[in-house]
Every structure is written in structure tokens, then in C-alpha cells.
Amino acid sequence: MKKMTAKRWISASLVTVLSAGLLAGCGSSTDEENSDGGETTIKFGIHVANPEDQEPVTYNIVQEFNKKYEGKYKVEFEAADTETHSKNLKLHSTDGTLPDIFWVEGAQAPEYAESGVLMDLSDYLKENTDIDEALNGMEDSYNNGEIQYGLPYQCNVQGFFYNKELFDAAGVEYPTNETTYEEFLDMIAKLKESGVTPIAIGSKNSSYAMWEFNEFLERYGWSENIDAILSGEKKFNNSDLVACFEKMEGLKDAGAFPDNMATIEYFDAKQLFDNGTAAMFGTGQWDCSEFDENLGDKVGFWWGPVFTDSDYEQNVAMKVPAAPIAVNAETADDETMKEAVYTFLNFYYSEDAAKMSYEGSIFPATSYEGIAASDTQYAMNAMLEALSAGWPSPESAPDLTVGSAVQTELYNGIFGVLQGTYTPEEALDKMDETLSYE
């Protein structure tokens, strides 16, 4: 087996725009926030329109922080859906009005870091060694060798959830760590014959919904080759990734997906799994609570098939850092705000916050001993069982190791292959073409 290696990557596609903004924009938002002379308000830019409903764990952590530090510090959300949030960050970065802390797309974060709008958190980690230790390397994905430009928002565990009841009804054994791709195709055929959709997936307005395929990419050597591809020594259109995309194409040919995949969204596809008309669904731990409610102890979790034609390591888990939380670079020059932000980060990455994350069926970015899911957190326990094998994970999910333009082309390519509009070679050629422009 070829050895898995760590990788880091920087793209400069936003540098020109953001650097211009640094020259034009000055002055922190903290003057207005502290105008009352008392409580320091920290603006937290988040990627959902309704944090209480859509990111309840983060919302609850913030409420507990506000309660603990009432009268001294207060966190307020600047909330918008992911697309609007990302657009707002680009706009605010050009006029010096970024939130004090904010969630940022993993593929865009390196570009912001290179432009100089993100605070270096290296000193924060040096001053808070307990947090550094608890992160246990999860933060390494957001260090470009010059600055620590972010810290992981959460820990993402990604793969296939499956409905045991539907597998039983179809007479199909549950998948295991040894299940091969060929055996997977047999499962799909039997599940389809039983009258259910084998794998729920939707691509309309949600081309990012491909988390189960990160494991496919990793098992075909993504980590080992991505640096060489990004440097121009290799191409995305290589024999390993062609074989990987052919396996995705094989799922399409086997009828694994809904006939209306192109016209339904991620949430529609998830509903097929929730209501028992689809046997499997690819996603991450963020859906655990919903699956507990709808499927209970019928839910299982699986990394995906192993590939006998790949020379790369197959015993790989997909437990990776989520997109980062970043800090406005202007915070470094405002001691009051810097102290407030550090205090919040200490709370957000604390053991108490980790317990709150587990209670909400979310894996925190930190690791503390003695924290576990309850017996009725079925989906999370299924993930923990998969993780108990102790397999290594890549430093980052494959889709977060490339710039935003190539990332988009990766998503388009995967769904193009799944829908039959691209061949594997065509999809990979488009990624190479997009990379050549960066």
C-alpha cells in the first residue's frame, strides 16, 4: 500500500480583490460595539439563517457563554444562509467590516489568509496549551506554514448511513469494513429489486452533497497525489482518479440513485431516507439527531466500499475538521476585543462545550476523555462504532484541499458522472482546465 501523506494548499484567487479592500477599508467595527463602555460585543458571522434551528449546538454554546459572561462579553450572530454569508464575507473583506469571528468555507479560507484579512491564531494556541492539546492536530489543516488562520468549527465524520430494516426486508447483509465495491453493487441490485431506492441523493441547488464520495477519492490516493497535481507535476485526469470516477459511474449504471436525482435537492433526498423509501444516504454527523428521531435504532453507519483495484490504503476513516472559524485580523490591534475573542474561543473549545456538542449529536473539534453519546443517540453511536477501528483519517477532506473554483468543478464533475452527462475523463479534464487558470 502507498503511504498516506499530509498536505496543505494555498490558492491566491482572491488576493487581488481582497488586497485592494485592505487598502480601501480601515477601522474595526469594535468601536461601535464597545460604545457603551461596558459589555464587549463579539459579532459572530455564521453560515445559516437561523442558528437556533439550523445550528442548535453552536447556538446553545453561545447562549451559555453569554450567560456566564453577562455584563462583560456578549456574542451576537450575524446570520445568513451559506451562499449569502460567503458573498457577505467577500464584500466585508474589501471594506474592513468583517465580523470579529466567522465561519468561512474551507476552500476559501486559504485565499483570505493570503490576502491578510485573517488573524494569526498561533499565539492563541501557544497561550492556551490545553486547547491546543484538546484539538489534537485538528487545527493543522488551517495552518499554511506561515500563520494559523483558523480553527475547526467542528469535527466532520462522513460516510453512508443505512436503514437496517430495509436491508433486512431485502435479505441483504449489513455492509462491513471488508465489503468490496463488487459486493456493494450486489447489495444495490437486491435493494432495488425489493422496491426501495438504494442510495438517496439530490443535486438540484446542492451540488456540494457528495460527502460519501470523499472516501472514494481518498481510497484512490487523493492525499498522496494532490500536492503533485496542484503543482502541475500530475493531472487530475490520471489512472487512479479515472478508476475512482468509473466506480461512481458504475453506481449510476446499477440504478443506485433516484430517477429524479437532477431535480431534487439534498433535503428532498434526505427525506427519502427519513421516510424509509431509500436504504442509504451519504452525509455527516450533522444529521444524527434527525435520524435518531426518524429511524431510531434502525440506523447504521458505514465508510463505504473498499476497492480491490486500488494500490492505496483502504483502511481509512473520514473524520476530518469542518470548515474553520476565523478571526478578523483587526482584532490583533484591539486588546479589548482580542481578550474577548480569546475568552470565547476558550469556552467554545472547552470540555463543557464538547459535552454540549455530544448531547446535540455533533462531534466537537476537540477530544476529551470520558465524553460519550447516550444509549439513545443511535446514529452517533453507529459512527462511534465505525471509528472504533482506529483507522487514520486524512488531514482534510479531499474536497477541502483545492481552491473554490476547482472545488466547484469537482462537485460538478461528480454529479455530471452520476447523471451521465460527463464521462469520468471529461469530468477530470474540466478540473485540470479550471486548475490551469488559477
Side-chain angles (χ1 to χ4, degrees):
M1 294 289 182
K2 298 180 183 178
K3 184 179 179 182
M4 183 189 303
T5 58
K7 68 279 178 191
R8 297 189 179 99
W9 177 79
I10 284 292
S11 168
S13 62
L14 287 181
V15 172
T16 301
V17 174
L18 298 186
S19 295
L22 286 175
L23 294 174
C26 60
S28 171
S29 60
T30 57
D31 292 340
E32 179 180 348
E33 291 162 1
N34 296 321
S35 60
D36 60 4
E39 192 174 61
T40 300
T41 300
I42 306 166
K43 296 296 181 65
F44 187 166
I46 195 167
H47 60 301
V48 294
N50 187 334
E52 184 173 6
D53 291 338
Q54 296 171 288
E55 289 289 318
V57 167
T58 300
Y59 178 85
N60 290 336
I61 290 172
V62 165
Q63 301 318 303
E64 284 300 311
F65 174 82
N66 288 344
K67 181 179 178 181
K68 180 175 182 179
Y69 291 98
E70 185 176 2
K72 187 172 183 180
Y73 304 126
K74 182 180 182 181
V75 172
E76 291 183 353
F77 288 113
E78 290 187 356
D81 65 84
T82 303
E83 183 178 358
T84 303
H85 172 76
S86 294
K87 289 179 179 178
N88 288 344
L89 289 184
K90 291 180 182 179
L91 177 64
H92 293 321
S93 67
T94 65
D95 62 12
T97 60
L98 281 168
D100 303 301
I101 59 176
F102 50 93
W103 180 98
V104 59
E105 288 273 9
Q108 294 178 358
E111 302 165 14
Y112 283 106
E114 193 165 302
S115 74
V117 299
L118 304 185
M119 180 178 171
D120 185 359
L121 295 171
S122 300
D123 286 343
Y124 167 75
L125 292 176
K126 290 177 183 177
E127 293 174 19
N128 297 278
T129 56
D130 55 334
I131 302 297
D132 190 20
E133 182 178 351
L135 286 168
N136 196 30
M138 274 278 167
E139 76 282 5
D140 290 345
S141 293
Y142 306 118
N143 188 316
N144 62 15
E146 296 179 0
I147 69 167
Q148 182 73 45
Y149 58 84
L151 300 174
Y153 176 62
Q154 294 168 349
C155 170
N156 281 349
V157 182
Q158 308 169 8
F160 288 93
F161 284 94
Y162 62 91
N163 185 326
K164 296 177 182 179
E165 189 171 67
L166 296 184
F167 272 67
D168 292 342
V172 178
E173 293 186 4
Y174 306 149
T176 70
N177 287 341
E178 290 75 38
T179 299
T180 66
Y181 176 77
E182 291 73 23
E183 291 169 335
F184 187 32
L185 291 180
D186 289 339
M187 288 180 178
I188 288 169
K190 292 178 182 177
L191 289 165
K192 191 172 180 66
E193 185 178 348
S194 74
V196 301
T197 298
I199 304 172
I201 197 167
S203 63
K204 182 183 177 183
N205 299 328
S206 55
S207 58
Y208 56 85
M210 48 66 69
W211 296 287
E212 64 269 44
F213 297 120
N214 270 324
E215 187 81 357
F216 281 51
L217 296 169
E218 191 62 29
R219 286 175 168 173
Y220 275 97
W222 185 278
S223 289
E224 290 84 344
N225 294 304
I226 190 60
D227 286 341
I229 292 172
L230 295 175
S231 69
E233 297 175 36
K234 294 184 178 181
K235 297 287 188 181
F236 283 111
N237 189 350
N238 62 66
S239 60
D240 293 318
L241 289 182
V242 168
C244 179
F245 275 56
E246 285 176 344
K247 299 303 185 296
M248 300 179 201
E249 186 178 45
L251 298 181
K252 181 263 297 182
D253 293 341
F257 308 115
D259 293 336
N260 62 343
M261 173 176 62
T263 61
I264 64 173
E265 296 185 338
Y266 163 79
F267 296 102
D268 300 318
K270 182 166 61 173
Q271 185 61 36
L272 296 177
F273 184 67
D274 280 335
N275 66 22
T277 58
M280 288 176 279
F281 182 62
T283 186
Q285 85 289 338
W286 52 86
D287 282 325
C288 281
S289 292
E290 184 170 338
F291 296 156
D292 287 341
E293 180 178 350
N294 290 288
L295 299 173
D297 61 1
K298 296 184 294 185
V299 70
F301 179 79
W302 178 50
W303 299 120
V306 296
F307 302 99
T308 57
D309 66 337
S310 173
D311 293 329
Y312 295 92
E313 181 61 66
Q314 300 296 292
N315 292 346
V316 181
M318 195 55 59
K319 181 184 179 184
V320 292
I325 291 176
V327 178
N328 187 337
E330 294 183 2
T331 299
D333 299 320
D334 184 325
E335 287 301 322
T336 299
M337 181 54 66
K338 181 178 175 181
E339 180 182 343
V341 167
Y342 276 22
T343 303
F344 175 70
L345 292 176
N346 283 343
F347 188 84
Y348 186 84
Y349 294 107
S350 68
E351 184 172 355
D352 287 342
K355 291 177 181 177
M356 294 173 67
S357 292
Y358 263 81
E359 289 169 0
S361 294
I362 292 293
F363 287 94
T366 52
S367 297
Y368 292 100
E369 293 184 3
I371 302 178
S374 69
D375 291 342
T376 57
Q377 289 179 286
Y378 303 106
M380 196 174 196
N381 278 316
M383 283 185 152
L384 289 168
E385 182 178 354
L387 288 166
S388 67
W391 290 352
S393 293
E395 184 178 291
S396 296
D399 66 318
L400 296 185
T401 63
V402 294
S404 53
V406 176
Q407 182 191 63
T408 297
E409 206 58 67
L410 169 64
Y411 298 158
N412 291 341
I414 288 175
F415 278 97
V417 168
L418 297 187
Q419 293 169 7
T421 57
Y422 292 155
T423 66
E425 291 84 359
E426 287 171 342
L428 293 164
D429 280 340
K430 288 182 177 293
M431 292 173 64
D432 282 320
E433 181 180 359
T434 301
L435 179 61
S436 70
Y437 294 134
E438 291 192 337

